[in-house]
Amino acid sequence: MITADFAIVPVGTEDTECKEYVTKAVQAIKDSGLNFELTGMSTQIEAENYSQLYEALAKAQEAVFTAGIGRLYTVIKIDDRRDLENRTLEAKVNTVNELLK
């Protein structure tokens, strides 16, 4: 399981509000059918392979470009763990929560 955390930042907007662009990007991820979690600072996504992951991320970027932005700055962090199976986003959080007292 590949998990990734990403943020797409539009450059050159008229004001500081980004919710319209975030919504476009997240909708593209949702439409991909991949499992994802929206957080206050980024979006996390799960994929079985890099093709799925990169296709979803490319569509998210394209959705923001289509909304009229001419430049994007995208930060992507990828965790590709192959020594354990089913290391989903939820499993990772559950592991830490079980250790908390």
Side-chain angles (χ1 to χ4, degrees), residues 6-23:
F6 73 97
I8 299 173
V9 181
V11 177
T13 62
E14 291 184 21
D15 62 30
T16 58
E17 191 61 61
C18 292
K19 64 186 173 194
E20 173 188 345
Y21 307 113
V22 170
T23 302

Side-chain angles (χ1 to χ4, degrees), residues 49-101:
N49 57 59
Y50 283 104
S51 295
Q52 286 180 335
L53 176 65
Y54 292 139
E55 181 178 346
L57 294 175
K59 287 182 178 179
Q61 285 192 263
E62 199 57 41
V64 179
F65 279 124
T66 301
I69 292 298
R71 182 179 180 189
L72 298 176
Y73 179 80
T74 303
V75 177
I76 305 167
K77 297 183 285 183
I78 297 173
D79 182 0
D80 184 359
R81 186 165 185 181
R82 298 181 182 185
D83 61 331
L84 292 175
E85 290 188 30
N86 298 320
R87 295 305 297 166
T88 62
L89 295 169
E90 182 179 13
K92 292 175 183 185
V93 172
N94 288 342
T95 298
V96 174
N97 281 333
E98 290 172 6
L99 297 172
L100 291 173
K101 295 182 180 188

Side-chain angles (χ1 to χ4, degrees), residues 6 8 22-37 43-46 52-61 63:
F6 73 97
I8 299 173
V22 170
T23 302
K24 299 278 187 192
V26 173
Q27 185 64 55
I29 296 299
K30 184 176 181 180
D31 292 347
S32 76
L34 298 177
N35 188 43
F36 73 95
E37 291 184 29
T43 302
Q44 299 173 342
I45 188 171
E46 299 173 349
Q52 286 180 335
L53 176 65
Y54 292 139
E55 181 178 346
L57 294 175
K59 287 182 178 179
Q61 285 192 263

